[in-house]
Structures are given as structure tokens and as C-alpha cells.
Amino acid sequence: MLRRVLVANRGEIALRVIRACHELGIEAVAVFSQADADMPYVELADDAVCIGPPEPARSYLNVPSILAAAEIADVDAIHPGYGFLAENARFAEMCTASGITFVGPPAAVIDGCGDKANAKDLARRAGVPVVPGSDGLVESAEDAVGIAREIGYPVIIKATAGGGGRGMRVAHNEASLANGFHQARSEAATAFGNPAVYLEKFVENPRHVEIQILAGPDGRVVHLGERDCSIQRRHQKLIEESPSPALDEDLRRRMGAAAVAFAEAAGYRNAGTVEFLLGADGSFYFMELNARIQVEHCVTEMVTGVDLVQWQLRIAAGEPLTLRQEDIALRGHAIEFRLNAENPERGFAPTPGLIERLVLPGGRGVRIDSHLAAGCQIPRWYDSMVAKLIVHGADRSEALRIARRALGEVRVEGPGLATTAPLHRQLLEQSDFVAGRVDIGFLERFLES
Ligand code: MV4
């Protein structure tokens, strides 16, 4: 097993990893920026190293600083959490080159899945359904228009180095496609240092359904069911749940098998998520693979009883994946609500500052993952998540009842502070949400009305 792990992240996920380490008898070393020096979780770590000033580029994204901290703290592994360096293949490579285990997939697999056109090609060859479109990259606006003539409008142009919704353009006709092609390329060149784009048919009003997988050191893969992440705004998820109200046993088995086939074809290792679009007619299409633990992993933990972060550490240590597919069952229903320090009335503008009063719910069916306490500052440098509220009930309607009760207990107060809690309470009264009738446009339509 691992002896000592550096947690190269901050906030709730740093705390989540520290807790998993301690449950496995592993020492955890925190890193912190000057803005996070007084965070309570830093004290829970067995050791802590300051890695620089508040700006992410000078601390949590600063590879030399983090590798130096790993040397000083004498760790044998680094857990990157999510965001920051989690899907940076060069960072994974440098860890390995320094004799430090990177808790995640090999650098070559991060690279292979990080190129979206390449990942889509892998999916196609693995027999996983993909959206009709260009066969690989599109080299010119004329080629794009030619392909769109065959598959029909609307189409979407995607940066191959993008992902998570960055670097995309929808086109409804030839004029906007030619424009969109050039815009997408120059944006991609600036944002990702790679102008390459590909094209596919634009799927209208789909749901976002993703499958959690675990791949052992030998490459054997199991899936742990799905998460429905359709409630999002500008690619920021707000509510996630498992199981999806849109899946039955047969669709779950087919999507799970597709995710496993993709992960095996990619040579995947450790925890990952295969993202799909699910059409209203039940057709599903591979989108991308997230090569990291995700914010919303908790809903999967609640319905499967499997500790995903512990498994990340075990797999990184080379322990065989003893979970068998037939032993994984979904029990009950879990829903996660992200409590962000943002003001939905003002375009979700972050409201950083002092938390004077913090009351988070508890009781039956409630899990809170939060690194904050009253008296803490919410720094302006990082994402604004204050807490994740995860509810678990015997079925979806019980989970919704627990959610209404638990959200009523939330108090987050401080000068200028606003949160997403009131919005969650409103959503819990919406008949379409309560019935599970949502798609990726639901939240933005609700906010407009
Ligand atoms: C799409 C799509 C419609 N058609 N591809 C956005 C995130 C990235 N993983 C893929 N995304 C999309 N790809 C085709 N062919 C719509 C989206 C999309 C989306 C997907 C999931 C969740 C929210 C979304 C919001 C806008 C667009």
C-alpha cells in the first residue's frame, strides 16, 4: 500500500482525499496557497507545505512548486483531485519520472483521451455509438459545408483540444457554419494552442448522462452505474443524481457496457467517467472521457456503497480490483446539490468574503462534503463551492423529500454573501424537475422564465 500521499489540491476535494488516506492508514500531506493557510482541513493533514501566493498559476498550478513539496514531504504518491493539474499529462509524466506515483491514469492515456477527435475515433473503433459527423478533423470551411450537406443542420464544431463545453460553435446554415469554422479555429488556437476542430450533428435537447468506471492495474474495468447531470448552466453542473430518471435496466446495461468497452480500448486505469448525450428517443452517444475523480462522485458512492477515492489509492498502489460487475448494485436514489457562494439574481456572480454563520444540515439520508466552517474566508481566487449536500433515500421521491427538509436547514451568512440554496429550493417545487422531465437546457429555460 501507499505510505504517504501529497494532496495536490484544495477545498472539499483535498479534505475528501485526506479522509480516504486516513481510512486506509496512509499519511496525507496537504499543500496550500497563502490564501488557504488557515483552512481547517490543512490542520487535519499529517503535514502541510505552502506552495506559493494565492493566484492559482503561482500555487495549485505551479508544477515545480508542487514537485518540490513532494520531495520535501517525502511522499510516494500525488493525488491531483479535480481541476488544476488533474488532467495535465505532462504533470503526470513528471511525477512518474521523479519516482512518485500519480494517482490517475498513465500520461499517454490522458493525452489520448484529452484529444477529443482521437477519443471519438477510439470509441467508434470500440463499437461505442458516436454522433454522425466528420471522420476525424475538418481541414477547411468547404469540407465542413460538404459534410453538413450530407448529415443536415444543425451541426456543432468542436475543438479537439477542448472539452467540458469549451471551444464549441453551433451552426444552423452554411453561412454560419463557414463563420463558425473560422471562429472556432482561432479561438481554439488561442485557448488551447491547437486550432484543430471536428464536426458533428447537433443533438437537440439531450440529457447529460455519464457512467462512472474503475479500471484495475491489470486493465480490467467495471462500471458503477450512471449520473444524470442535466441540471447545469454554462457547463457548470448544479445538481447531479443517480440513478438517472431516464434509464431503465436495459439502457443502463447497454450504456455501462459501452463505457467499459471504451475504457478497455483506451487502456484506461484508475477512476474515470465516460460522458454520453442521451437523446429523447433513448439513443445515446459517446462525448468524452473525464480522466479524474469528479465533483459529483459522491452520488455514485451513496447508491453503490463503494468508496471511489479509496479505490483510486488502492489501484495506484497496484492492488487488484476485487470488485466484480455482478457485485455492483444501485441501492436507492442519491441527489447532490452544489451550494455555491454565488448570486443567481446577479448572473451567478461569486460572493467571496467572510462566512459569519454556517449551519449545514444533517440527519438521516444526508451527507455533507465541505471544507468550510464559520469564521472562514471564501477566497476570491478559487471556485465558489461552499458545500456539497448529498441526499440518499430509498427512492427518488424520498430523496426529494429529504432534500427539501435538508435545504431548509441551511444557513450561510456573511457580508454580501449569497448562495445557490434558494434556487435549489425553488427547483424542488418545479413539477418537471420533480417528475425527472429535464434536459441540458432545463435550468437556463427556468432562469429565463
Ligand atoms: C454536444 C451537444 C449537442 N450535440 N454535441 C458540451 C460539453 C461536452 N462534453 C459536449 N457538449 C455538448 N456536445 C452534439 N453533437 C451539446 C453539448 C452541450 C452539453 C452537453 C452536456 C451538458 C450540457 C451541455 C450544454 C450545452 C451543450
Side-chain angles (χ1 to χ4, degrees):
M1 228 317 154
L2 303 172
R3 177 184 54 84
R4 198 164 152 89
V5 170
L6 188 87
V7 186
N9 212 299
R10 65 173 304 282
E12 70 88 17
I13 194 65
L15 178 55
R16 173 74 188 85
V17 175
I18 292 168
R19 286 173 167 158
C21 285
H22 287 169
E23 286 169 8
L24 289 171
I26 301 169
E27 291 177 356
V29 180
V31 297
F32 60 96
S33 74
Q34 284 161 10
D36 286 332
D38 297 327
M39 285 291 179
Y41 69 86
V42 173
E43 259 187 73
L44 290 183
D46 300 281
D47 203 350
V49 185
C50 183
I51 49 166
E55 298 93 310
R58 300 173 69 191
S59 49
Y60 300 105
L61 287 169
N62 186 336
V63 172
S65 254
I66 288 167
L67 291 177
E71 288 295 336
I72 293 164
D74 185 33
V75 298
D76 43 23
I78 296 184
H79 193 304
Y82 52 69
F84 296 122
L85 299 169
E87 290 174 277
N88 184 318
R90 302 290 78 74
F91 176 64
E93 216 163 55
M94 286 166 86
C95 290
T96 310
S98 314
I100 298 167
T101 300
F102 177 77
V103 182
V109 177
I110 301 177
D111 271 331
C113 295
D115 183 300
K116 307 304 167 191
N118 182 66
K120 186 177 178 183
D121 199 46
L122 262 174
R124 192 187 292 110
R125 284 185 278 130
V128 173
V130 296
V131 185
S134 58
D135 199 0
L137 301 175
V138 185
E139 304 292 345
S140 70
E142 292 70 39
D143 287 353
V145 166
I147 296 162
R149 270 193 194 142
E150 282 174 32
I151 63 176
Y153 287 89
V155 296
I156 184 167
I157 305 157
K158 297 182 173 180
T160 194
R166 299 173 317 148
M168 309 189 320
R169 273 278 188 298
V170 179
H172 292 271
N173 51 55
E174 294 195 353
S176 72
L177 175 53
N179 272 329
F181 174 82
H182 295 294
Q183 284 171 356
R185 276 181 72 85
S186 69
E187 253 181 46
T190 310
F192 317 118
N194 177 1
V197 297
Y198 62 105
L199 181 147
E200 47 191 38
K201 178 94 183 166
F202 181 66
V203 182
E204 301 202 65
N205 309 319
R207 301 174 78 112
H208 171 130
V209 176
E210 56 185 34
I211 306 281
Q212 176 71 52
I213 56 142
L214 282 172
D218 61 353
R220 221 172 45 80
V221 182
V222 299
H223 78 84
L224 296 101
E226 77 280 9
R227 295 184 287 262
D228 193 316
C229 309
S230 299
I231 304 295
Q232 54 83 47
R233 174 187 169 269
R234 301 194 182 171
H235 309 292
Q236 288 290 107
K237 296 166 186 165
L238 206 64
I239 300 176
E240 306 96 346
E241 61 183 291
S242 184
S244 167
L247 266 62
D248 58 18
E249 264 314 314
D250 176 61
L251 186 51
R252 176 169 305 112
R253 195 180 36 71
R254 288 186 290 123
M255 290 182 77
V260 168
F262 177 82
E264 285 176 351
Y268 202 77
R269 298 290 185 277
N270 215 288
T273 297
V274 186
E275 260 185 49
F276 295 96
L277 289 185
L278 175 63
D281 62 355
S283 52
F284 64 88
Y285 306 99
F286 170 84
M287 285 287 114
E288 48 194 80
L289 182 139
N290 300 131
R292 60 174 188 277
I293 193 76
Q294 288 185 280
V295 177
E296 61 269 26
H297 74 277
C298 309
V299 294
T300 300
E301 294 189 325
M302 298 311 282
V303 295
T304 60
V306 173
D307 188 315
L308 292 168
V309 181
Q310 282 192 16
W311 271 113
Q312 284 193 290
L313 295 161
R314 288 204 187 97
I315 292 166
E319 273 191 25
L321 182 64
T322 50
L323 285 174
R324 290 174 310 177
Q325 191 64 58
E326 59 268 30
D327 297 335
I328 298 165
L330 307 188
R331 203 193 110 255
H333 198 101
I335 314 178
E336 173 175 280
F337 299 84
R338 298 193 192 186
L339 302 179
N340 299 337
E342 293 171 352
N343 192 342
E345 316 246 280
R346 292 195 187 149
F348 291 78
T351 61
L354 177 70
I355 304 182
E356 281 176 338
R357 184 155 177 261
L358 183 64
V359 181
L360 292 173
R364 182 173 169 275
V366 172
R367 168 175 171 180
I368 293 283
D369 274 28
S370 173
H371 61 294
L372 290 173
C376 286
Q377 285 285 142
I378 304 171
R380 65 188 178 89
W381 307 96
Y382 316 115
D383 91 21
S384 56
M385 199 159 67
V386 173
K388 302 188 297 198
L389 162 64
I390 306 106
V391 297
H392 184 216
D395 55 25
R396 191 166 186 272
S397 86
E398 190 186 34
L400 290 171
R401 282 196 302 273
I402 295 170
R404 287 187 199 99
R405 184 273 291 173
L407 280 162
E409 297 176 8
V410 171
R411 301 287 183 278
V412 187
E413 293 164 13
L417 212 69
T419 78
T420 48
L423 173 60
H424 286 308
R425 280 186 219 115
Q426 281 187 296
L427 289 170
L428 283 164
E429 305 305 324
Q430 292 301 307
S431 54
D432 281 340
F433 176 71
V434 169
R437 280 191 300 265
V438 300
D439 60 50
I440 61 172
F442 176 84
L443 180 57
E444 284 174 50
R445 290 194 302 269
F446 172 75
L447 290 167
E448 268 166 36
S449 71

